[in-house]
Amino acid sequence: MNRVYNFSAGPSMLPLPVLEQCAKEMTDYNGSGMSVMEMSHRSPVYDAIIKEAEKDLRELMNIPDNYKVLFVQGGASTQFAAIPLNLMKTGKADYVVSGQFSKKAYEEAQKYGDAKCIASSKDRTFAYIPTITPDMVRPDADYVHVCYNNTIFGTKYPEVPNVGDKVLVADMSSCIISEPVDVTKFGVIYAGAQKNMAPAGVTIVIIREDLLGNARPETPTMLDYKVMADNDSMYNTPPCYAIYVAGLVYKWILGLGGLEAMKKINEEKAAILYDYLDSSELFKPGADKEFRSMMNVTFVTGDEELDKKFCKEADAAGFKNLKGHRSVGGMRASIYNAMPTEGVKALVEFMKDFENKNK
Ligand SMILES: *Cc1c(COP(=O)(O)O)cnc(C)c1O
């Protein structure tokens, strides 16, 4: 076996035990004589898979009973439209723009109503999270939308933003199940699965029940949360295999001790990398200290040619996908749940060596 350390921002690493179980069950799932890829989504054997996945996610994230868990398709980007279509009742919604995905969400919402950017960190290339207070939110806004972890810029909300009694909607695509969050503080949490949860194809929506049933008449049926909730995510064929893998990932984390244990591991990994970046004379971290992401670590040398050289040599040494997003350049190490601590340690050793040779 020749596994590399894959620092891709997404699709990204999956836990090795999960991949091995997929391989083991690939042609015959649990004595069914067929692959999960081949079975009817209406069959009892698949029904057990999706129910178990939901049950485990509920346990993992401590999701209260008055929240629905939906498994939908179209990626997080489709949610940029589904959110305003389902939640804009007065036609007004407030957005915090803290990076590229939140900007896209904000722009998409403008198609459906009066979306307002109430705070942005664009002035310093999204190196920080803008502070928001309840008085910044319009009294008649239906919700406030934030991107909880900014995958491209490597920033994260240090705590749940205070939006008073407004419905808080969060895109958690790149930080979901990396640490505990208080679900009750959110009206909707959504996440594309391919960063920290499963292969691409499934998107998770966690929504408070009282927010269902307000979709605008022109909402495509497939984007209506109430339709999805009433049909247990089976209005049509769900992304069956991706949901199965997500279920295995949930079990893997529960086996490690749940999200508190996962957080500890992630904190340790992030600290190894950030501590080195803080002490390095060559590499500089991209995000302000108090807003650093635990999942996506951005850094530069300050010299584009040297950045390129670093990525090339790292790739040759088995550290893959360290190039920063095309819109920002530099480097980004995505260290999601499945990245082992040894991978981060090995990367830091490689970086130290590179620093010595390129001083
Ligand atoms: C990757 C990402 C998206 C886009 O996800 P798709 O599933 O490709 O649509 C949106 N938001 C965040 C925070 C992301 O990291």
Side-chain angles (χ1 to χ4, degrees):
M1 190 171 58
N2 184 26
R3 299 274 297 167
V4 295
Y5 290 124
N6 177 7
F7 294 90
S8 170
S12 37
M13 284 186 81
L14 284 163
L16 187 57
V18 167
L19 293 176
E20 285 171 343
Q21 188 164 348
C22 291
K24 208 173 86 204
E25 296 175 337
M26 180 56 74
T27 56
D28 177 8
Y29 174 77
N30 202 15
S32 66
M34 56 180 97
S35 170
V36 175
M37 289 186 199
E38 301 172 301
M39 57 182 61
S40 164
H41 59 294
R42 310 268 177 213
S43 63
V45 54
Y46 189 76
D47 196 56
I49 291 174
I50 190 169
K51 292 244 162 69
E52 182 93 353
E54 177 177 339
K55 180 179 107 358
D56 286 342
L57 182 62
R58 283 184 176 278
E59 183 182 338
L60 204 51
M61 292 184 69
N62 200 13
I63 301 172
D65 287 343
N66 65 323
Y67 282 74
K68 292 282 185 193
V69 174
L70 311 177
F71 297 96
V72 301
Q73 306 202 44
S77 301
T78 300
Q79 295 308 308
F80 298 167
I83 293 290
L85 282 166
N86 281 274
L87 303 185
M88 259 188 185
K89 286 190 288 183
T90 67
K92 288 189 183 180
D94 289 352
Y95 279 71
V96 179
V97 175
S98 56
Q100 194 157 302
F101 291 115
S102 53
K103 180 164 174 279
K104 282 186 174 165
Y106 163 55
E107 285 168 354
E108 189 77 5
Q110 287 171 342
K111 292 184 183 176
Y112 303 105
D114 172 5
K116 183 186 173 197
C117 169
I118 56 165
S120 164
S121 48
K122 188 165 182 278
D123 60 331
R124 284 205 292 114
T125 339
F126 303 115
Y128 68 104
I129 298 284
T131 306
I132 42 174
T133 49
D135 58 292
M136 293 163 77
V137 179
R138 289 182 291 180
D140 52 353
D142 286 315
Y143 62 89
V144 179
H145 179 282
V146 298
C147 179
Y148 215 63
N149 183 79
N150 295 279
T151 324
I152 294 172
F153 301 94
T155 61
K156 190 192 86 161
Y157 280 78
E159 54 195 31
V160 180
N162 181 2
V163 295
D165 57 2
K166 285 291 170 207
V167 171
L168 181 60
V169 177
D171 176 357
M172 290 199 185
S173 294
S174 50
C175 60
I176 192 146
I177 59 172
S178 63
E179 61 179 334
V181 286
D182 182 354
V183 175
T184 64
K185 295 214 164 115
F186 299 86
V188 183
I189 292 171
Y190 67 91
Q194 71 274 20
K195 311 284 162 65
N196 208 19
M197 219 153 38
V202 63
T203 303
I204 303 296
V205 178
I206 301 165
I207 180 167
R208 217 175 58 213
E209 269 170 0
D210 61 285
L211 298 171
L212 295 168
N214 299 310
R216 297 154 63 118
E218 71 271 27
T219 303
T221 309
M222 282 294 294
L223 298 191
D224 186 330
Y225 293 144
K226 184 160 192 313
V227 172
M228 282 297 155
D230 287 349
N231 288 278
D232 296 324
S233 304
M234 293 245 204
Y235 176 78
N236 73 334
T237 317
C240 302
Y241 196 77
I243 293 168
Y244 153 76
V245 181
L248 296 181
V249 169
Y250 304 152
K251 285 225 186 290
W252 175 72
I253 301 172
L254 287 169
L256 294 176
L259 290 188
E260 281 296 346
M262 196 73 252
K263 178 186 185 181
K264 252 185 142 164
I265 297 168
N266 287 329
E267 278 177 343
E268 187 196 341
K269 285 189 294 186
I272 292 168
L273 195 42
Y274 283 122
D275 285 351
Y276 166 64
L277 287 172
D278 285 337
S279 70
S280 169
E281 284 172 25
L282 179 67
F283 298 104
K284 294 158 209 67
D288 289 6
K289 207 164 192 167
E290 69 251 63
F291 304 112
R292 284 173 174 174
S293 167
M294 195 161 64
M295 298 279 99
N296 311 99
V297 181
T298 54
F299 53 99
V300 294
T301 64
D303 172 346
E304 272 182 42
E305 284 310 310
L306 204 53
D307 286 353
K308 258 191 213 150
K309 184 174 182 229
F310 173 78
C311 290
K312 196 169 162 223
E313 290 182 15
D315 184 87
F319 303 99
K320 302 292 180 184
N321 295 311
L322 282 164
K323 199 165 167 285
H325 188 270
R326 55 195 143 79
S327 65
V328 287
M331 277 76 71
R332 170 178 52 178
S334 294
I335 50 173
Y336 298 117
N337 289 350
M339 171 59 67
T341 308
E342 307 84 75
V344 180
K345 283 186 179 157
L347 174 64
V348 166
E349 286 313 307
F350 178 82
M351 289 169 75
K352 282 182 182 165
D353 189 48
F354 185 88
E355 178 167 359
N356 282 332
K357 287 179 182 148
N358 292 276
K359 270 213 265 250

